[in-house]
């Protein structure tokens, strides 16, 4: 009987350890995994991002709209060549905005993640994409002219 209890405890500890490893210990793990999946399956990458936040189940229409609009522009922007981080901003230790430029044949696309750590794991609080990055860069250049 004692061996069965010991075995049961070892199994519980192993499962708990595996569960803890799968929880995102850093916000970078979410974005790294997002872009790993994105390379071959952009819609699944978005599903992954939103799956990190249980509250996103209540905003299925918003998630689907974001995905549909992106899927519609894919044929118009050409081949995907990778990504690079543009900026990272923090509000305290548990809320971050990280913006990336995705490189496509026709033009860049910006993906902006808002990541939040309410307790012990990071989650995607918001994810948006837009095509305005070059317009904003031009506007910024105008503002900085003296």
């Amino acid at each position: 009987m004692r061996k069965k209890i010991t075995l049961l405890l070892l199994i519980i500890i192993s499962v708990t350890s595996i569960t803890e490893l799968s929880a995102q210990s850093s916000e970078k793990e979410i974005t790294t995994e997002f872009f790993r999946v994105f390379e071959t399956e952009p819609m699944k990458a978005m599903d992954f991002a939103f799956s990190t936040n249980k509250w996103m189940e209540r905003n299925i229409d918003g998630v689907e709209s974001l995905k549909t609009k992106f899927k519609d522009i894919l044929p118009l922007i050409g081949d995907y060549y990778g990504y690079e981080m543009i900026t990272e901003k923090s509000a305290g230790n548990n809320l971050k905005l990280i913006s990336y430029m995705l490189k496509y044949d026709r033009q860049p696309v910006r993906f902006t993640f808002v990541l939040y750590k309410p307790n012990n794991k990071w989650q995607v609080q918001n994810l948006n994409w837009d095509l305005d990055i070059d317009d904003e860069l031009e506007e910024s250049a105008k503002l900085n002219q003296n």
Side-chain angles (χ1 to χ4, degrees), residues 34 42-72 111 124-129:
F34 174 86
M43 300 309 122
K44 283 191 179 181
M46 289 187 212
D47 288 338
F48 160 74
F50 290 118
S51 75
T52 65
N53 185 338
K54 67 181 179 182
W55 297 100
M56 286 298 174
E57 294 172 0
R58 297 179 183 202
N59 190 14
I60 291 175
D61 291 340
V63 171
E64 287 305 314
S65 175
L66 181 81
K67 288 169 50 180
T68 299
K69 288 176 184 174
F70 189 73
K71 190 175 185 179
D72 289 347
F111 266 68
V124 173
Q125 194 69 15
N126 198 358
L127 171 64
N128 286 305
W129 64 269

Side-chain angles (χ1 to χ4, degrees), residues 6 26 29 40 43-44 65-66 74 81 94 126 132 139:
T6 304
S26 80
E29 289 178 32
T40 56
M43 300 309 122
K44 283 191 179 181
S65 175
L66 181 81
L74 282 174
Y81 295 114
N94 298 301
N126 198 358
D132 300 329
E139 193 60 36

Side-chain angles (χ1 to χ4, degrees), residues 62-99:
V63 171
E64 287 305 314
S65 175
L66 181 81
K67 288 169 50 180
T68 299
K69 288 176 184 174
F70 189 73
K71 190 175 185 179
D72 289 347
I73 70 150
L74 282 174
L76 305 174
I77 58 177
D79 293 333
Y80 171 69
Y81 295 114
Y83 68 95
E84 58 188 70
M85 187 183 348
I86 300 170
T87 190
E88 181 175 337
K89 304 282 184 191
S90 297
N93 294 321
N94 298 301
L95 184 64
K96 290 194 176 195
L97 178 142
I98 308 175
S99 190

Side-chain angles (χ1 to χ4, degrees), residues 28-42:
K28 298 288 190 210
E29 289 178 32
I30 292 175
T31 56
T32 299
E33 179 63 12
F34 174 86
F35 286 115
R36 187 190 68 73
V37 175
F38 187 91
E39 192 169 315
T40 56
E41 300 179 273

